[in-house]
Amino acid sequence: MSAASSRTRRSLLLLAPLLFFLIGFFVWPLFSMMSQSVSDPAVLRLLPRSAEVLADWDRNSPPTIPMQTALMKDLKAVNDDQALGDMVRRLNSARSGFRTLMGKTTSALKETANPPVDLVSIDKRWEKPEFWLAIADALSPYTDRNLLAAVDLGRNAAGDIEHLPPDQSVNGVILMRTFWIAALVTFACVCIGFPYAIIAASLDGWKRDLMLGAVLLPLWTSLLVRTAAWFILLQEQGLINDLLRAIGLIDAPLALIFNRTGVIIAMTHVLLPFMVLPIYSVLITIPKNLMPAAASLGAHPLRAFLRVLLPLSLRGVASGALLVFISAIGYYITPALIGGPSDQMISSIIAFYATGSANWGMAGALGVVLLVATLLLYSVYARLSSDEVGGR
Amino acid sequence: MAEFIRFDRITKFYGPLCVVENLDLGIGKGEFVSLLGPSGSGKTTLLMMLAGFEQPTAGEILLDGTSINAVPTYKRDMGVVFQSYALFPHMSVGDNIAFPLQMRGIGKAGIDERVKRALDMVQLSTLSDRRPSQLSGGQQQRVALARALVFEPRVVLMDEPLGALDKQLREQMQLDIRDLHRRLGLTIVFVTHDQSEALTMSDRVAVFNKGKIEQIGTPRQVYDEPATRFVAEFIGETNLVEGVVETVQGAEATVRLPSGAQIVSAVSGSIASGQSVFLSIRPERVDLSETRSEGRNVLETEVTDSVYQGDHLRVQLHNATHPLIAKLGRRSREFPPGTKVFAAFSAGDCRVIAP
């Protein structure tokens, strides 16, 4: 046994806790969330016999007798009402009318005195291939329905992808709103955070510590506490409105809560440290004498800033903006507490599907959309920053 | 030489700390003046005030007869060369040098032509597209120099620009800068703590100590005729011997040493008989011989150590009351320790300094 391989084993052993943690609490949940969004076993689980027969069907001709017999056998064998309900909901979402048809069929099949010969004798609708088509499509254990629905797309009867009707197209609106709010928050954070970081980096001693502490302190406070604090501050009878009225700036209280303004104020405050710290860390690496040098070469302070300090600190601004934007698009608590109904972001919708309606498929699909958006943004950033390094 | 820059009773405090105290200094047009002193002596602060990075607490700085106290740095038209170069890392060498020209709104063609000339001047014409980080320290400093000169500033300020370079490169740059100064007729204010650098390059050297100028003069004056004990000790090496003035006759004084020996020495400033003073004797002006020479100052000494230093011999001597150091040329004969020798030097080679 060579020393090198025993060293490798030892380092693997030391890494094991981390690897297990990552697999158990990051890779596996991520994978299962993504598979939830495409898995769809509700129908296949209950109709194994039909699945075999339907595989040979040409998807056009009227249903054959073996198809009907197999489905009848499958339906008779079902003894789990919950599972049956899931299947009916699934089929009904693909083809409306399935709920009544299935109800009528199952109750007819339960009648032991006068058992029906075939399905068509129970309801004429079983003659139509459309209903069988819906079953055949739903038999696949995988579906792109959730992923398509997450971006307001769906398949029509012919199986082509098309836009959902406007009354069902809410996700796109909410996604756009999420990106818009995140962009506004990022912009506000740059406007406040950049000058703040410049001032902090130009000071030293206790003044710098104080400014950095003022940024870090909120970071050490619970998010819920900070959001609750804004809840109190922004109210109609809250501190801000009271103060503005006391100095006579306004007559009637400003609407600061349960609307977009409040959400942006609170989110900007919560996310500001993620803007200030990356910019600050870049600024302190910039030599102190560059700005005096620019001045001595005849540059007005503003031009010196635009030509020297801004290009050199852009890397920090970009990573700060990326951090803030990515954190912002996943925000849940702050918009839920401070925003109105029209300020809810994509995370609220995911939470609604996951905990409100137990539709894990949709929750997973929206999660995947969020993940993809984040990865896209990150790859753009990585490309930009590697270009910059390569240019040096 | 017409006076171009004038520091008029400049005082600078940092909080309670006084770094420059009631300082007067005039610099002529086309003159190369070094501000020489140990760190913390106020020389850099004075330069920063001239560049406009710092404001004097009191007093006035005049450029060509007009006060520039209220003129911001970017309007002062002074090229500054920093110790740490201060090149813009995100711009190429060419863009760095073009920067001051762009700030002055010069056209593209004019800029290209002047950048090219500036690069030729510092012999870097092939490196125009490189980034500063791809250059050696000496090359970076030459770029900084080109950038400070390209816009033909009224004054060039240099803040220990050669401090970060190694010895050989530093000596080469000293000669290069001296040459540029002569060729272009620049007015240069040069801050350094390296006395040989100051002596090599300057028309005049101002020796700083604790926020004040101890002496200002040509390199020859500050070396050969130090006005104070600080200047004598800071510039070069010297033997300081205590004594009491017996008589003063014109430019010469007779000083009696504690050993009883009488020394005739050149004198400058007001020295009265009876005053206790120091004698400053440069080691390289001391000759050693085993016979007493006539017509010069002679001290009876004994060799305690003799060190070979390549270009000279460094001999440590001792007489009854004080040690003495002599630097002898390579051609001089060597004296083993314990040899009794006479140390001789002329009156013009030693100075009387008031304590």
Side-chain angles (χ1 to χ4, degrees), chain B residues 98-155:
Chain B
F99 186 87
L101 303 174
Q102 289 164 353
M103 292 302 126
R104 284 166 176 74
I106 292 168
K108 177 94 175 62
I111 288 179
D112 289 348
E113 204 254 316
R114 287 172 72 171
V115 168
K116 192 177 166 307
R117 247 193 299 148
L119 279 167
D120 285 342
M121 180 183 71
V122 294
Q123 292 141 40
L124 289 173
S125 25
T126 54
L127 302 179
S128 175
D129 296 327
R130 298 266 186 97
R131 295 280 172 136
S133 56
Q134 295 168 311
L135 303 182
S136 71
Q139 289 170 330
Q140 289 187 36
Q141 193 53 280
R142 297 226 289 278
V143 175
L145 197 60
R147 189 180 66 174
L149 297 180
V150 71
F151 59 100
E152 289 160 15
R154 294 202 280 179
V155 186

Side-chain angles (χ1 to χ4, degrees), chain A residues 289-290 292-301 303-304 307-308 311-312 391-392, chain B residues 53 73-74 78 80 82 84 86-91 100 102-104 131 147 151:
Chain A
N289 55 14
L290 292 188
S296 76
L297 296 169
H300 183 272
R303 292 185 80 183
R307 289 287 308 274
V308 179
L312 286 173
R392 280 185 183 204
Chain B
F53 303 144
T73 301
Y74 69 98
M78 294 184 182
V80 183
F82 295 83
S84 48
L87 297 175
F88 303 129
H90 58 300
M91 297 182 196
Q102 289 164 353
M103 292 302 126
R104 284 166 176 74
R131 295 280 172 136
R147 189 180 66 174
F151 59 100

Side-chain angles (χ1 to χ4, degrees), chain B residues 260-330:
Chain B
Q262 275 192 337
I263 303 289
V264 181
S265 165
V267 73
S268 55
S270 54
I271 297 291
S273 45
Q275 198 178 346
S276 31
V277 291
F278 285 101
L279 281 174
S280 163
I281 311 152
R282 295 290 181 191
E284 70 276 9
R285 302 286 168 83
V286 178
D287 292 322
L288 300 183
S289 71
E290 281 171 77
T291 54
R292 182 182 282 270
S293 53
E294 292 302 317
R296 303 175 78 192
N297 295 307
V298 172
L299 292 170
E300 284 178 46
T301 59
E302 186 185 325
V303 175
T304 54
D305 198 5
S306 173
V307 185
Y308 172 73
Q309 296 202 316
D311 59 339
H312 69 269
L313 273 175
R314 184 187 167 87
V315 184
Q316 286 185 21
L317 306 158
H318 200 272
N319 79 353
T321 51
H322 51 80
L324 204 63
I325 289 167
K327 283 186 188 170
L328 304 179
R330 283 283 292 106

Side-chain angles (χ1 to χ4, degrees), chain A residues 13-14 34 47 52 54 67 70 88 100 145 153 161 234 265 290 292 295 304 311 319 364 386-387:
Chain A
L13 202 69
L14 284 170
M34 286 165 73
L47 308 177
E52 277 173 40
L54 276 169
M67 280 161 64
V88 171
T100 54
R145 199 167 40 95
L153 296 173
I161 294 175
L234 295 173
I265 291 175
L290 292 188
S319 45
S386 76
D387 275 359

